């Protein structure tokens, strides 16, 4: 068996607004327009992924929050409706998806032997979190590839950002090893926004773009700084600054997804490609891809 | 005066519902939930109003209004304990009334009624154990993740408004842990304990207060508690409950149970209104009746409020938004705002010459403190009145040149009219406002001139 590999690592935030504005058949509410820059960014990235040969999407989501360690979807098939508890007016999405349980079990076991607390989620009534659903829809709306779903453990909240990052780097490393051992080509998805302060009021027409802007200039500056580091391939510096970034821009990186991705990609020193950046109800969102092949080319 | 027949504090983790037999602590909570359920029945409650810290919201507060939500719920953490099928009965009318009352108090709020809406574990656990046969309709409100004390108090008061308006016997349920530090490693259920001695001691302190019926004191202590013992969502649920129940220490409190759930502090407490206070409460923090908002970020400028926007604005919100209180203008001497906007017209309350902050009267008061007459300067007073009018108009987004009509009150027409009229002309000559001038015997403060003004908004 050929060794498996990570064929792409993607920062793929999950604002429900992007699905809402797209009007896919799976989503109940409908919109006139909205958040085009981000949606077109996803469109371009989708084209690249569609042309790529890959077997599985491995997604780490902020909206499956677990207290006792890291959990993994462990049921082969899910079908249900996902309703965003915060924006139920925008996102009521009928999903049906397959899980690569074998790969999930391998990552779960690998992370456990690396010293992390892990657990498989075997309850068939479980509802897959909306972060996972949204990021996966935006990258693969046909749902024709299985996914591996990983929860967001609370280490950042129970200890601190530094401890959280350390755990996530270890989980990323376990993910990479399991992917390589599986012989599969995997796309990794970190499903989080960057800066994350929301407006707490919504316009009457949610897609009224007159109101859409970053919550605070400081957030924007932080977001640009982090994106610059990504574009320059300065992952270690990105990780070094991550705790401050999380603190000062209320970043959703606190859920660990991006740190996990950096761990899985072994601190990439090649430049990432930014597909789009935009605000959604005040939060900063970037679609970013790390393509390990580009590292080989530049080397 | 009491507004709810009982208040309850209950924990929202699923252990007592799904895994009681695994741990004596969880079994004890299960039994205590049964006792709380009994109390609810004895209270003859007609409505359960629930605030759950496990239902986060971002856009203001959400209120569940689906009359019969139905689902098979699985907790994101404790999925291995099993599924929880539910079908609840919600009081959709009350939900609407609560939403309306919240808006009346300046809060952003909306009802939600969607098939498949993910009702949070805390609510599910509370309703399954406290109201298993759906005998009493319920209403659930979310926990806004950005809300602080002021907003949460007002949310509690809005619930009280709605309860009073509907006149139903209501039990209010705060679904919350006390200390909320959980174990992050698997534990042996039989050996569950509070995660630290410090958290335990702080929990005991709160429970002492609860047992004495000192709900408001617990509410006042919430910030310290949260800082020291990792309180569940800042103990917002207690702020809400205390505000809903009338902000006092006049309760008979009973701590029905106190146990650990995976390290967190899980208490079941009942509070029933009593005529006697344990003792007078101290208010360390301000009370607040109406939420002015610290984050009206969407209305960044008056130009953002075009006609369409105005039409869309909720009428009740608009009513509150219509009131203007200008920090730079002298404090009103009664229960009235500086100005009120109705449609395109701005109505100003009577404006005198007093200076903001100091209440000093330019040109002197009309009489001295012993009641003797003072030789005041009406020119200075008139100027000060017009400057105050300008301040209020500008704070309302209007200006002096938009004045439509002025009614002038003078306490001494013979002495003051000519001087007043000269100053008036300086400001109003080119504005073309209509004017009426009256002589009256006195004004509420020792001043000689007051204006009543209408302007275009
Ligand atoms: Fe999110």
């Amino acid at each position: 068996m050929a060794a498996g590999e990570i064929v792409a690592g993607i920062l793929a935030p999950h604002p429900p607004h992007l699905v809402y504005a797209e009007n896919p058949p799976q989503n109940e509410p409908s919109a006139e327009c909205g958040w085009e820059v981000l949606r077109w960014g996803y469109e371009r990235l989708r084209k690249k992924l569609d042309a790529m040969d890959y077997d599985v999407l491995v997604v780490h989501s902020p909206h499956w929050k677990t207290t006792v360690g890291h959990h993994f979807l462990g049921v082969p098939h899910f079908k249900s409706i996902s309703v965003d508890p915060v924006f139920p007016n925008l996102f009521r999405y009928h999903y049906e998806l397959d899980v690569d349980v074998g790969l999930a079990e391998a990552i779960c076991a690998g992370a456990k032997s690396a010293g992390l607390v892990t657990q498989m989620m075997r309850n068939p009534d479980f509802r897959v979190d909306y972060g996972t659903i949204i990021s996966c829809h935006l990258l693969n709306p046909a749902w024709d590839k299985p996914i591996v779903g990983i929860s967001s453990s609370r280490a950042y909240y129970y200890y601190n950002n530094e401890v959280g990052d350390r755990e996530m780097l270890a989980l990323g490393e376990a993910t990479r090893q399991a992917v390589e051992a599986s012989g599969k080509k995997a796309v990794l998805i970190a499903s989080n926004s960057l800066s994350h302060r929301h407006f707490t009021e919504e316009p009457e027409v949610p897609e009224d773009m007159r109101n859409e802007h970053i919550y605070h200039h400081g957030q924007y500056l932080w977001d640009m700084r982090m994106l610059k580091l990504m574009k320059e391939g300065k992952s270690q510096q990105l990780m070094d600054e991550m705790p401050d970034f999380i603190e000062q821009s209320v970043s959703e990186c606190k859920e660990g997804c991006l740190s996990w991705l950096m761990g899985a990609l072994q601190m990439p020193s090649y430049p990432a490609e930014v597909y789009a950046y935009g605000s959604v109800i005040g939060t900063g969102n970037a679609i970013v891809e790390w393509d390990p092949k580009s590292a080989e080319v530049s080397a | 005066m009491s507004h709810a027949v009982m208040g309850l504090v209950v924990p929202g983790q699923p252990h007592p519902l799904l895994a009681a037999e695994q741990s004596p602590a969880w079994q004890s909570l299960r039994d205590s939930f049964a006792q709380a359920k009994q109390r609810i029945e004895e209270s003859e409650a007609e409505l359960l109003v629930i605030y759950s810290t496990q239902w986060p919201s971002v856009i203001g507060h959400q209120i569940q209004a689906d009359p019969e939500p139905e689902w098979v719920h699985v907790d994101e953490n404790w999925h291995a304990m099993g599924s929880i099928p539910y079908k609840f009965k919600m009081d959709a009318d009350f939900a609407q009334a609560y939403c309306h009352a919240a808006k009346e108090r300046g809060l952003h709020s909306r009802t939600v009624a969607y098939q498949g809406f993910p009702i949070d574990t805390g609510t599910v656990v509370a309703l399954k154990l406290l109201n298993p046969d759906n005998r009493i309709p319920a209403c659930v409100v979310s926990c806004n993740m950005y809300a602080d004390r002021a907003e949460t108090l007002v949310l509690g008061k809005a619930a009280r408004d709605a309860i009073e308006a509907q006149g139903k016997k209501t039990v209010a349920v705060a679904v919350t842990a006390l200390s909320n530090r959980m174990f992050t490693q698997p534990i042996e259920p039989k050996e569950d304990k509070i995660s630290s001695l410090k958290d335990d001691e702080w929990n005991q302190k709160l429970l002492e207060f609860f047992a004495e019926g000192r709900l408001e004191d617990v509410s006042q202590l919430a910030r310290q508690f949260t800082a020291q013992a990792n309180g569940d969502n800042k103990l917002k649920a207690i702020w809400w409950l205390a505000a809903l129940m009338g902000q006092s220490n006049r309760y008979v409190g009973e701590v029905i149970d106190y146990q650990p759930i995976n390290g967190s502090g899980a208490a079941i407490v009942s509070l029933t209104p009593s005529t006697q206070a344990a003792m007078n409460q101290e208010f360390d923090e301000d009370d607040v009746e109406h939420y002015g908002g610290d984050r009206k970020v969407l209305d960044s400028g008056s130009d953002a409020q075009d006609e369409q926007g105005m039409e869309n604005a909720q009428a009740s919100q608009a009513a509150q938004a219509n009131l203007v209180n200008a920090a730079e203008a002298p404090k009103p001497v009664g229960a009235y705002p500086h100005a009120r906007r109705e449609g395109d017209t701005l109505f100003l309350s009577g404006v005198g010459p007093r200076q903001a902050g100091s209440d000093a009267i330019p040109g002197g008061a009309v009489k001295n403190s012993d009641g003797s007459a003072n030789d005041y300067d009406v020119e200075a007073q008139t100027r000060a009145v017009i400057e105050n009018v300008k301040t209020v108009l500008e704070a309302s987004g209007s200006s002096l040149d938009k004045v439509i009509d002025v009614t002038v009150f003078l306490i001494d027409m013979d002495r003051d009219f000519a001087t007043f009229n000269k100053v008036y002309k300086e400001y109003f000559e080119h504005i073309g406002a209509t004017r009426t001038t009256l002589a009256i015997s006195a004004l509420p403060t020792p001043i000689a001139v007051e204006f009543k003004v209408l302007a275009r908004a």
Side-chain angles (χ1 to χ4, degrees):
Chain A
M1 183 172 74
E5 61 180 324
I6 296 168
V7 293
I10 297 169
L11 178 62
H14 58 258
H17 305 67
L18 304 185
V19 177
Y20 164 71
E22 181 194 312
N23 293 311
Q26 296 102 323
N27 200 29
E28 287 180 1
S30 63
E32 295 175 303
C33 62
W35 303 277
E36 276 69 21
V37 174
L38 282 165
R39 293 199 292 114
W40 294 340
Y42 266 118
E43 250 174 53
R44 274 183 292 123
L45 179 53
R46 248 185 339 250
K47 270 187 200 148
K48 179 169 176 184
L49 288 184
D50 288 347
M52 250 162 64
D53 175 28
Y54 72 95
D55 305 303
V56 59
L57 293 157
V58 183
V59 52
H60 188 281
S61 167
H63 290 291
W64 179 11
K65 299 176 195 294
T66 50
T67 302
V68 183
H70 309 267
H71 298 211
F72 298 79
L73 293 180
V75 174
H77 189 76
F78 287 102
K79 180 179 179 186
S80 187
I81 181 172
S82 173
V83 179
D84 184 333
V86 172
F87 298 102
N89 52 329
L90 308 183
F91 190 75
R92 305 189 298 278
Y93 183 98
H94 297 264
Y95 66 88
E96 183 163 8
L97 60 89
D98 293 317
V99 174
D100 186 337
V101 177
L103 181 57
E105 284 169 344
I107 303 172
C108 180
K112 185 171 260 167
S113 37
L116 301 179
V117 176
T118 62
Q119 190 185 341
M120 293 300 296
M121 199 303 298
R122 307 282 191 191
N123 189 325
D125 297 327
F126 188 78
R127 185 145 47 167
V128 179
D129 75 279
Y130 63 96
T132 298
I133 299 292
I134 293 167
S135 290
C136 290
H137 168 89
L138 290 167
L139 293 173
N140 181 29
W143 293 94
D144 55 0
K145 310 272 187 190
I147 71 164
V148 169
I150 311 177
S151 78
S152 161
S153 92
R154 312 281 78 205
Y156 290 80
Y157 294 87
Y158 279 84
Y159 305 104
N160 56 43
N161 293 342
E162 286 79 359
V163 171
D165 277 342
R166 270 208 302 280
E167 252 197 46
M168 295 315 294
L169 292 176
L171 182 67
E173 176 60 23
T175 305
R176 184 186 63 78
Q177 288 176 9
V179 166
E180 287 178 0
S182 73
K184 289 176 180 162
K185 291 181 164 55
V187 171
L188 267 51
I189 303 171
S191 168
N192 64 273
S193 301
L194 295 178
S195 65
H196 208 53
R197 183 59 163 92
H198 298 83
F199 293 122
T200 55
E201 295 182 9
E202 196 174 47
E204 195 71 23
V205 178
E207 62 268 37
D208 181 345
M209 289 292 106
R210 283 180 310 171
N211 298 304
E212 190 55 76
H213 55 87
I214 197 78
Y215 186 88
H216 186 276
H217 182 51
Q219 286 182 205
Y220 197 91
L221 291 176
W222 257 118
D223 287 347
M224 289 308 116
R225 178 169 182 82
M226 297 319 262
L227 289 173
K228 183 165 181 282
L229 293 174
M230 293 178 203
K231 289 172 72 152
E232 292 172 352
K234 293 182 177 165
S235 303
Q236 187 56 55
Q237 194 180 340
L238 180 84
M239 288 307 301
D240 292 345
E241 295 188 12
M242 187 77 83
D244 286 345
F245 169 57
I246 290 172
E247 197 68 42
Q248 293 174 26
S249 75
V250 230
S251 173
E252 205 181 22
C253 289
K254 188 158 185 147
E255 311 302 324
C257 324
L258 182 59
S259 304
W260 162 78
L261 184 62
M262 291 299 97
L265 295 170
Q266 295 181 295
M267 262 342 133
S269 54
Y270 49 89
E273 174 150 4
V274 177
Y275 280 77
Y277 173 83
S279 72
V280 178
I281 195 148
T283 65
N285 295 271
I287 304 162
V288 184
E289 187 213 5
W290 285 263
D291 179 354
K293 286 278 184 305
S294 75
E296 290 161 26
V297 172
S298 62
Chain B
M1 166 180 179
S2 71
H3 305 278
V5 292
M6 181 164 59
L8 283 172
V9 179
V10 300
Q13 297 297 336
H15 305 56
L17 176 66
L18 294 176
E21 69 292 346
Q22 291 180 25
S23 158
W26 307 344
Q27 183 63 54
S28 171
L29 286 166
R30 172 80 180 228
D31 298 342
S32 301
F33 262 111
Q35 228 178 300
K37 167 180 171 276
Q38 184 69 30
R39 301 275 160 86
I40 292 174
E41 276 164 21
E42 286 162 8
S43 78
E44 296 174 346
E46 301 160 292
L47 175 68
L48 294 176
V49 182
I50 298 173
Y51 177 104
S52 173
T53 57
Q54 291 185 47
W55 179 10
S57 61
V58 166
I59 308 297
H61 288 89
Q62 301 192 129
I63 301 168
Q64 185 57 249
D66 181 349
E68 271 199 347
E70 188 174 3
W71 198 255
V72 178
H73 178 72
V74 179
D75 184 72
E76 59 184 347
N77 270 293
W78 312 107
H79 41 77
M81 287 179 183
S83 311
I84 316 173
Y86 67 74
K87 184 171 185 177
F88 295 134
K89 193 163 99 195
M90 298 289 172
D91 187 334
D93 279 352
F94 182 80
Q96 297 299 345
Y98 188 2
C99 187
H100 178 73
K103 285 178 179 164
E104 286 285 303
R105 282 185 180 265
L107 295 169
H108 204 71
S109 72
R110 65 186 178 200
T111 56
V112 294
Y114 301 108
Q115 202 269 319
F117 184 92
I119 295 182
D120 68 283
T121 299
T123 298
V124 170
V125 168
L127 283 174
K128 288 293 261 191
L129 290 174
L130 295 175
N131 190 36
D133 47 8
N134 283 322
R135 213 174 45 78
I136 309 167
C139 175
V140 194
V141 65
S142 69
C143 167
N144 183 292
M145 49 190 273
Y146 295 111
D148 207 327
R149 183 172 176 274
E151 191 170 353
T152 310
L153 287 190
V154 173
L155 184 73
K157 292 182 181 186
R160 192 176 66 191
D161 296 343
I163 291 165
E164 281 181 348
Q166 296 221 337
K168 285 181 186 155
K169 281 190 179 172
T170 300
V171 170
V173 184
V175 183
T176 182
L178 304 183
S179 69
N180 197 31
R181 204 181 315 268
M182 293 210 198
F183 294 116
T184 57
Q185 305 273 334
I187 57 157
E188 183 56 50
K190 286 189 176 55
E191 285 156 24
D192 199 354
K193 57 178 190 291
I194 301 294
S195 61
S196 75
L197 188 57
K198 182 171 70 105
D199 283 6
D200 190 23
E201 285 169 349
W202 273 99
N203 289 336
Q204 304 272 11
K205 175 49 80 181
L206 281 200
L207 293 171
E208 241 176 68
F209 283 22
F210 273 132
E212 291 172 1
R214 296 163 62 190
L215 176 57
E216 182 58 26
D217 281 352
V218 175
S219 170
Q220 296 281 333
L221 191 65
R223 285 195 204 280
Q224 284 99 312
F225 178 83
T226 295
Q228 296 295 329
N230 198 18
D232 184 0
N233 273 282
K234 300 185 181 177
L235 288 194
K236 283 182 211 182
I238 302 298
W239 283 334
W240 174 84
L241 183 68
L244 186 155
M245 303 248 332
Q247 290 173 299
S248 81
N249 288 326
R250 290 188 299 275
Y251 304 98
V252 175
E254 188 188 352
V255 176
I256 302 174
D257 207 349
Y258 167 55
Q259 301 290 342
I261 297 184
N262 196 54
S264 65
I268 298 183
V269 178
S270 74
L271 296 145
T272 37
S274 142
T275 47
Q276 280 192 322
M279 58 190 78
N280 286 335
Q281 68 267 34
E282 279 179 40
F283 285 96
D284 301 319
E285 294 203 53
D286 277 354
D287 191 17
V288 46
E289 292 297 331
H290 186 270
Y291 189 62
D294 51 4
R295 41 193 172 72
K296 284 217 169 294
V297 284
L298 291 180
D299 306 327
S300 47
S302 55
D303 57 344
Q305 285 280 16
D306 64 6
E307 283 169 11
Q308 187 64 41
M310 281 308 289
E311 276 172 26
N312 289 343
Q314 297 286 351
S316 53
Q317 275 179 317
Q320 282 306 331
N322 285 348
L323 305 186
V324 177
N325 280 297
E328 306 295 314
K331 250 179 122 156
V333 293
Y336 56 85
H338 283 123
R340 179 182 183 99
R341 190 180 298 109
E342 285 298 330
D344 293 334
T345 311
L346 199 58
F347 296 78
L348 270 59
S349 298
V351 179
R354 284 179 305 128
Q355 297 297 283
S358 66
D359 275 348
I361 300 167
V366 298
K367 56 186 176 192
N368 299 311
S369 50
D370 60 4
S372 60
N374 184 34
D375 185 21
Y376 59 90
D377 175 358
V378 74
E379 176 169 349
Q381 281 207 16
T382 304
R383 252 179 235 295
V385 170
I386 298 172
E387 289 301 327
N388 281 340
V389 166
K390 250 170 98 175
T391 300
V392 174
L393 286 169
E394 282 162 16
S396 316
S398 181
S399 53
L400 202 62
D401 60 335
K402 291 188 178 157
V403 170
I404 300 165
D405 180 54
V406 185
T407 308
V408 180
F409 303 92
L410 299 176
I411 60 161
D412 193 336
M413 187 70 80
D414 295 343
R415 176 185 186 276
D416 295 337
F417 180 80
T419 314
F420 143 76
N421 204 31
K422 176 178 70 90
V423 179
Y424 184 93
K425 185 177 169 198
E426 279 177 36
Y427 286 89
F428 283 93
E429 185 170 18
H430 302 294
I431 292 174
T434 51
R435 191 186 87 184
T436 309
T437 306
L438 308 165
I440 51 160
S441 62
L443 287 158
T445 52
I447 58 174
V449 195
E450 181 166 312
F451 281 22
K452 172 85 184 96
V453 174
L454 261 64
R456 288 193 306 282

